[in-house]
Amino acid sequence: MRFNETDRLFVLTGAGISAESGLATFRASDGLWMNHRVEDVATPEAWHRDPALVWRFYSQRRRDAAAAQPNAAHLALAELEKQMPNRFYLCTQNVDDLHERAGSQHLHHMHGQLFESRCVRCDAPFADTSLYEDASALPTCKHCGAAIRPHIVWFGEIPLDMDAIYAELDAATHLVVIGTSGNVYPAAGFVSIARRAGIRTIYIGPEPPSNAASFDEILLGTATAVVPTLL
Ligand code: APR
């Protein structure tokens, strides 16, 4: 596929783009949700019930993400952003930082970020990564003393930056979705919104997602095999 100089690209990524960097996806048989009950680690109720368990879960995910390296798909998207200045937009459901480490400059993490935390009471953000050194210690806010929680959008919470994300989708000519199973809304609904607006919709992944019928085109293959061909 080739883009011309008036095209505007909206790219949505999911866990599949980081799979070849060694990070587990969610819904595979060996995936994160098969090994954990979502209700135990990724809901506000889980946090209220057992914050230490939730903190340990995200500490492990931070260690995994820190040990991973961006792959050819992350790098290709960073390069595409350079080739299409102001006409390329990236939205990720991933909470790892592999897009940033590949060089992507402008992106929204609609489900939050592993390496950010915030106070549950005064909402102060904590960017200090020394917070993550001792996985067994639950940190507290230095302003108000309340608990610090991961800056992650849990099930039942509202995704971040949605106004800006929908404005970018509105302005696009092409929606390219990479490595997401199409089960979690609102991201799973972007393709229907795009179709109604006349935006060309393309999916990239090794198997069709559950919303495959809504795409104009499905490019079957792994992210590292297919995404670099967009360049
Ligand atoms: N390249 C591209 N896609 C891949 C690869 C690969 N190498 N390997 C697996 N995939 C695809 C799978 O085929 C699947 O469709 O990645 C997708 C992963 O799907 P999920 O595990 O459901 O992950 P995702 O869709 O990103 O989950 C969405 O759900 O659990 C919540 O908040 C969490 O952001 C997450 C959201």
Side-chain angles (χ1 to χ4, degrees), residues 26-161:
F26 293 95
R27 291 172 184 78
S29 56
D30 57 349
L32 278 172
W33 296 151
M34 295 296 169
N35 294 325
H36 291 88
R37 281 167 26 103
V38 173
E39 306 79 28
D40 289 341
V41 291
T43 63
E45 295 74 25
W47 172 258
H48 288 303
R49 204 167 40 239
D50 193 347
L53 172 71
V54 173
W55 191 259
R56 278 200 307 277
F57 173 71
Y58 285 99
S59 297
Q60 182 58 51
R61 291 190 61 192
R62 277 184 213 105
R63 280 194 293 275
D64 294 344
Q69 295 303 322
N71 64 44
H74 297 105
L75 293 166
L77 292 181
E79 183 56 33
L80 211 49
E81 181 180 6
K82 280 197 210 126
Q83 290 184 3
M84 301 176 75
N86 303 318
R87 293 184 295 114
F88 176 94
Y89 170 76
L90 178 59
C91 172
T92 185
Q93 297 169 90
N94 298 345
V95 295
D96 65 54
D97 59 354
L98 295 180
H99 283 305
E100 284 89 342
R101 282 159 56 201
S104 286
Q105 301 281 322
H106 302 109
L107 71 157
H108 280 118
H109 282 269
M110 61 183 288
H111 291 169
Q113 289 184 253
L114 271 178
F115 296 98
E116 288 188 8
S117 303
R118 66 177 195 267
C119 172
V120 295
R121 188 185 300 143
C122 70
D123 232 24
F126 281 74
D128 178 3
T129 51
S130 66
L131 200 68
Y132 307 129
E133 279 160 17
D134 180 0
S136 60
L138 257 185
T140 50
C141 176
K142 52 183 174 238
H143 305 295
C144 75
I148 303 285
R149 62 163 275 180
H151 188 48
I152 299 282
V153 176
W154 287 325
F155 285 92
E157 296 186 318
I158 298 169
L160 308 171
D161 306 318

Side-chain angles (χ1 to χ4, degrees), residues 24 185 194:
Y185 285 80

Side-chain angles (χ1 to χ4, degrees), residues 16-17 19-20 71 73 178-179 204-207 219-229:
I17 197 169
E20 290 164 274
N71 64 44
I178 305 164
I204 297 172
E207 60 199 351
L219 302 178
L220 282 184
T222 66
T224 62
V226 182
V227 179
T229 68

